[in-house]
Amino acid sequence: MRAPISIVIPTLDAEGGLPACLGSLGEGLQAGLIRELVISDGGSRDATLQIAGQAGARVVTGPPSRGGQVRRGIAATEGDWLFVLHADTHLAEGWTQAVLPVLTQPGAWHFRLRFDARGVMPFWVAGWANLRSRLFHLPYGDQGLLIHREVLEDVGGYPDLALMEDVALARRLKTRLRGLPATAVTSADKYRRQGWLRRGARNLVTLARYFAGADVSALARRYRR
């Protein structure tokens, strides 16, 4: 029986975080869970593609847009289960033990969030994200997404959006999206550079504008500035 999970990682100049992300997948390889690894690149100019090649990944390329990149990556996979993971996120040790029991039937799952930083603010921001995920079934992409292909197809596939693609999908899945007792550790670099309060407020404003119906392309341009 072939391994059930296809890993899809969207990348854009991701050389800083990608090695740790890929390294954390070794546990899944040893457990016989990972069938293939697909890197969907949006035009990296650093060593991202070299790192992907050394890891034995299949690389697909196209315009930079995380939703579009994930869709292209998924189109190149064959596994029954899809695991979408951000390049600046790695999985904490023991994640396979949480994943194994849920592979018996179709579903959709996310991980608990933790930042690779210590202190009150990283703890508070991660705590809010985990509370939001539990109460409102609204995790972000840096918490990882493990979803059965049938479930994804049932809700119309992965949204081809430049921003908020993870939120759009979560809103389609609603209560079908549940949490796993495992942790995804994501980079705090953007928070360190911009400030925890400023970055957190910016994320909340962007989410509120998206819910209010703002144009996603305009939101994405503003967000990246």
Side-chain angles (χ1 to χ4, degrees), residues 163-219:
L163 188 70
M164 292 292 165
E165 76 292 338
D166 43 6
V167 173
L169 181 57
R171 294 178 80 185
R172 293 180 191 174
L173 290 167
K174 299 179 181 178
T175 57
R176 299 171 76 176
L177 182 54
R178 292 171 285 174
L180 286 168
T183 301
V185 184
T186 196
S187 172
D189 283 350
K190 292 178 182 177
Y191 285 90
R192 292 189 185 101
R193 291 197 307 267
Q194 300 175 21
W196 287 89
L197 289 176
R198 181 181 179 188
R199 179 74 187 188
R202 187 180 186 186
N203 289 345
L204 285 174
V205 169
T206 302
L207 180 63
R209 294 186 66 199
Y210 171 74
F211 282 155
D215 178 72
V216 173
S217 297
L219 279 180

Side-chain angles (χ1 to χ4, degrees), residues 1-5 24-35 94-100 103:
M1 183 177 178
R2 299 191 66 179
I5 299 176
S24 71
L25 298 177
E27 184 179 321
L29 288 171
Q30 293 178 359
L33 295 181
I34 298 178
R35 179 170 182 168
W95 66 269
T96 55
Q97 297 305 309
V99 165
L100 273 167
L103 299 178

Side-chain angles (χ1 to χ4, degrees), residues 7-189:
I7 307 290
V8 178
I9 304 175
T11 57
L12 181 62
D13 295 331
E15 65 178 8
L18 189 57
C21 176
L22 297 177
S24 71
L25 298 177
E27 184 179 321
L29 288 171
Q30 293 178 359
L33 295 181
I34 298 178
R35 179 170 182 168
E36 59 196 339
L37 168 63
V38 176
I39 300 293
S40 185
D41 192 69
S44 293
R45 297 182 179 181
D46 62 3
T48 295
L49 298 185
Q50 180 181 354
I51 294 168
Q54 291 172 347
R58 179 178 181 182
V59 177
V60 296
T61 59
S65 169
R66 196 153 56 199
Q69 287 175 232
V70 173
R71 282 182 69 95
R72 287 193 296 272
I74 289 173
T77 63
E78 298 179 349
D80 292 332
W81 284 87
L82 303 161
F83 194 171
V84 181
L85 191 62
H86 286 185
D88 61 353
T89 298
H90 68 272
L91 305 176
E93 185 177 351
W95 66 269
T96 55
Q97 297 305 309
V99 165
L100 273 167
V102 307
L103 299 178
T104 57
Q105 57 184 347
W109 304 85
H110 65 82
F111 285 62
R112 292 189 302 253
L113 181 68
R114 190 173 80 223
F115 287 101
D116 62 352
R118 294 183 178 182
V120 174
M121 289 308 297
F123 178 81
W124 188 87
V125 174
W128 156 244
N130 293 324
L131 181 64
R132 181 193 65 231
S133 303
R134 186 166 63 251
L135 295 182
F136 304 110
H137 304 282
L138 201 63
Y140 286 169
D142 51 12
Q143 292 172 245
L145 173 67
L146 177 67
I147 185 169
H148 195 276
R149 191 180 296 272
E150 290 179 0
V151 175
L152 183 61
E153 292 174 351
D154 187 51
V155 296
Y158 206 90
D160 188 358
L161 298 174
L163 188 70
M164 292 292 165
E165 76 292 338
D166 43 6
V167 173
L169 181 57
R171 294 178 80 185
R172 293 180 191 174
L173 290 167
K174 299 179 181 178
T175 57
R176 299 171 76 176
L177 182 54
R178 292 171 285 174
L180 286 168
T183 301
V185 184
T186 196
S187 172
D189 283 350

